[in-house]
Amino acid sequence: MALVKYNNNSISAVTSAASIPSGAMTLIKTLTASSSSTLSFVDGSSDVVLDSTYPIYKFVWFNCHPATSNAQFSFNMSTDSGSNYNVAKTSTFIQADHSEAGSGGLSYDSDDDLAQGTGFQHISDAIGNDNDSNANGSLLLFNPSSTTFVKHFISRGNGMYNGNYQSDCLAAGYGNTTSAVDAIRFQMTSGNIDAGTIKLYGIKDS
């Protein structure tokens, strides 16, 4: 996000609020789950913008609580306005975890990566459905409207699993398509998203 600094002299010279830059990150859409099987952002639908307007899109999710214990938060891409979420992806998945009892470690999880897989990419570890368990994080999607390059993504997720473990997860990879990606869907690997919010932002290139 762009940071703009002003002094007293520059503020006194402002004749219109419109002349003050609003920053580089713009909120596009907020979706809130309530026992929802999926949450989808489709370009051109319900005021969603996911096209060449921005070179980078950022999804931020918080307080995402699964209805089913040990479900993982996940996402997929579409090139046909959400008719199919099946873009082939190649990715890596790394996690660091630490329990309330003091045990933990760092691992590369091959069960959570994809090698030209068309399924949903995991972006969290297994989340408990205890009342206080949830997942939070962000997903960056780069240049989804490109018809030249593959579609890179980076996700950082944080959550509680098994009732007392902190899990910090990094998933990164690319959707192996030169078609424009125009829709993103989020869901749990099993059961509904009992509660939670996802915000979509567009990030300018300058």
Side-chain angles (χ1 to χ4, degrees):
M1 180 181 291
L3 296 177
V4 181
K5 296 181 70 174
Y6 294 99
N7 56 37
N8 288 336
N9 290 335
S10 61
I11 291 296
S12 64
V14 171
T15 58
S16 170
S19 64
I20 301 177
S22 60
M25 195 160 76
T26 302
L27 176 63
I28 297 171
K29 185 71 175 181
T30 300
L31 296 180
T32 301
S34 178
S35 296
S36 306
S37 58
T38 63
L39 291 178
S40 301
F41 295 83
V42 181
D43 179 52
S45 175
S46 301
D47 299 321
V48 171
V49 175
L50 193 62
D51 56 20
S52 60
T53 302
Y54 300 96
I56 305 169
Y57 288 86
K58 183 175 185 177
F59 301 85
V60 179
W61 68 89
F62 52 96
N63 294 335
C64 286
H65 183 265
T68 303
S69 187
N70 294 324
Q72 291 176 268
F73 203 48
S74 61
F75 87 99
N76 212 333
M77 310 177 196
S78 173
T79 60
D80 54 14
S81 299
S83 295
N84 298 280
Y85 289 91
N86 58 0
V87 171
K89 294 170 291 300
T90 295
S91 62
T92 58
F93 188 99
I94 300 169
Q95 74 164 26
D97 58 56
H98 195 234
S99 75
E100 294 174 8
S103 62
L106 175 67
S107 62
Y108 170 71
D109 290 354
S110 59
D111 291 342
D112 294 307
D113 65 16
L114 295 169
Q116 287 299 98
T118 58
F120 277 68
Q121 172 64 52
H122 298 169
I123 49 178
S124 81
D125 200 353
I127 312 162
N129 68 343
D130 312 52
N131 290 337
D132 61 348
S133 293
N134 66 345
N136 305 269
S138 62
L139 168 71
L140 288 170
L141 178 63
F142 299 90
N143 205 17
S145 66
S146 173
T147 54
T148 301
F149 299 113
V150 298
K151 311 305 184 291
H152 287 271
F153 62 87
I154 301 172
S155 172
R156 185 76 181 269
N158 178 290
M160 176 195 283
Y161 76 101
N162 286 345
N164 64 354
Y165 267 86
Q166 152 64 31
S167 179
D168 182 7
C169 301
L170 173 65
Y174 57 87
N176 195 10
T177 179
T178 55
S179 297
V181 166
D182 56 11
I184 299 291
R185 172 167 287 177
F186 294 88
Q187 65 183 42
M188 295 292 177
T189 52
S190 63
N192 288 340
I193 308 171
D194 180 62
T197 300
I198 306 176
K199 290 182 176 289
L200 169 61
Y201 297 88
I203 301 178
K204 300 176 184 177
D205 57 359
S206 61

